[in-house]
Amino acid sequence: MLSSLFTEGSGDIHIQQLLICISSAIILGLLVAVIHMYRNVYTKNFVITLAVLPVLVQSVIMLVNGNLGTGMAVLGAFSLIRFRSVAGGAREITSIFWSMGIGLATGMGYVSYIAVFSMVVAVFLLLIYRTNFGNQKTAERELKITIPEDLDYPDLFTDIFDEFAYTNRLESVRTTTMGSLYELRYVLLLKDQQQEKTLIDAIRVRNGNLPIVLGKVATNRDEL
């Protein structure tokens, strides 16, 4: 069932085999695109690329099948390509590898194998995305606190941070409003994201209800 459609050592591919491989690559490519769109931010161009990539890879594999010289030439051509777009996230890279795997398998004739493999991966990903697997209770946050100039800030919020965060780090201090106020910027690793409002309320009591900004740290943690 999971063997190749192509006869070992034969360079001839019948039209029926070709149509089966192409149809399978298109259908499974659409499956990858649909799974990628599930609960994810995406662009139309990217999901179209995921859908068509298996057929493109399949055509290259069929062309170089059994020909070492042609394979090395294609490898050299691909080595000239430079990807100039912004680096993708972990989910985008996973989908790209999945699409390429479909193209490789269908290009070699292992249609049944890649069909079973893709269905298992699709079901597994859907189950993972629908559960809380991988969700973090902790969170890294950037905290900006405005205080009057007469407050001694080094240990002003230490007890509050110890209660709501595992770690805290003072990143910068700057003056504002003609030097009458200070703006402190901290990076915190919160113990529980649900306690953000309680944390802000505790700080408001300490800084005289001056402006407080709590937001995500600008990092690319999702990228591989």
Side-chain angles (χ1 to χ4, degrees):
M1 175 183 176
L2 301 181
S3 60
S4 174
L5 290 177
F6 308 143
T7 304
E8 187 70 24
S10 175
D12 297 330
I13 301 176
H14 299 294
I15 186 64
Q16 295 88 346
Q17 296 173 334
L18 180 62
L19 291 177
I20 291 175
C21 292
I22 292 177
S23 302
S24 301
I26 293 175
I27 294 173
L28 295 177
L30 291 173
L31 175 64
V32 176
V34 170
I35 296 297
H36 183 81
M37 290 187 290
Y38 181 73
R39 294 187 179 182
N40 190 30
V41 178
Y42 58 89
T43 63
K44 182 177 181 179
N45 289 335
F46 186 77
V47 294
I48 291 176
T49 300
L50 291 178
V52 76
L53 185 60
V55 179
L56 299 179
V57 175
Q58 178 197 86
S59 64
V60 175
I61 297 302
M62 285 184 170
L63 286 174
V64 303
N65 187 24
N67 192 322
L68 180 60
T70 306
M72 294 301 295
V74 173
L75 180 62
F78 274 112
S79 68
L80 299 176
I81 299 175
R82 296 294 183 268
F83 296 96
R84 303 183 183 275
S85 60
V86 179
R91 188 163 177 180
E92 282 74 18
I93 294 176
T94 300
S95 298
I96 290 174
F97 272 108
W98 187 6
S99 292
M100 292 183 65
I102 292 172
L104 289 171
T106 55
M108 297 174 64
Y110 292 98
V111 175
S112 300
Y113 166 80
I114 198 60
V116 173
F117 172 82
S118 295
M119 293 305 299
V120 171
V121 172
V123 172
F124 176 72
L125 289 177
L126 289 176
L127 291 176
I128 288 293
Y129 294 149
R130 291 182 64 88
T131 63
N132 293 326
F133 179 82
N135 291 348
Q136 290 185 341
K137 190 175 182 180
T138 60
E140 193 174 41
R141 291 290 185 264
E142 182 180 66
L143 177 65
K144 295 180 181 179
I145 308 174
T146 303
I147 63 172
E149 61 177 343
D150 57 344
L151 289 181
D152 189 16
Y153 62 82
D155 297 320
L156 182 60
F157 305 103
T158 301
D159 57 331
I160 298 177
F161 293 156
D162 289 342
E163 179 182 355
F164 293 97
Y166 290 115
T167 61
N168 66 88
R169 184 173 69 253
L170 180 61
E171 291 290 322
S172 65
V173 180
R174 75 183 184 95
T175 59
T176 183
T177 317
M178 302 298 291
S180 61
L181 301 173
Y182 283 92
E183 183 182 86
L184 314 178
R185 188 171 69 88
Y186 294 89
V187 174
L188 309 178
L189 181 60
L190 299 181
K191 296 178 181 179
D192 188 352
Q193 298 184 54
Q194 304 300 322
Q195 297 295 319
E196 289 182 355
K197 182 180 184 303
T198 307
L199 169 63
I200 293 176
D201 290 339
I203 296 174
R204 289 172 56 197
V205 175
R206 196 70 56 88
N207 79 330
N209 206 27
L210 290 173
I212 300 171
V213 179
L214 182 65
K216 293 183 178 180
V217 179
T219 56
N220 295 323
R221 292 297 180 87
D222 191 41
E223 293 184 0
L224 292 178

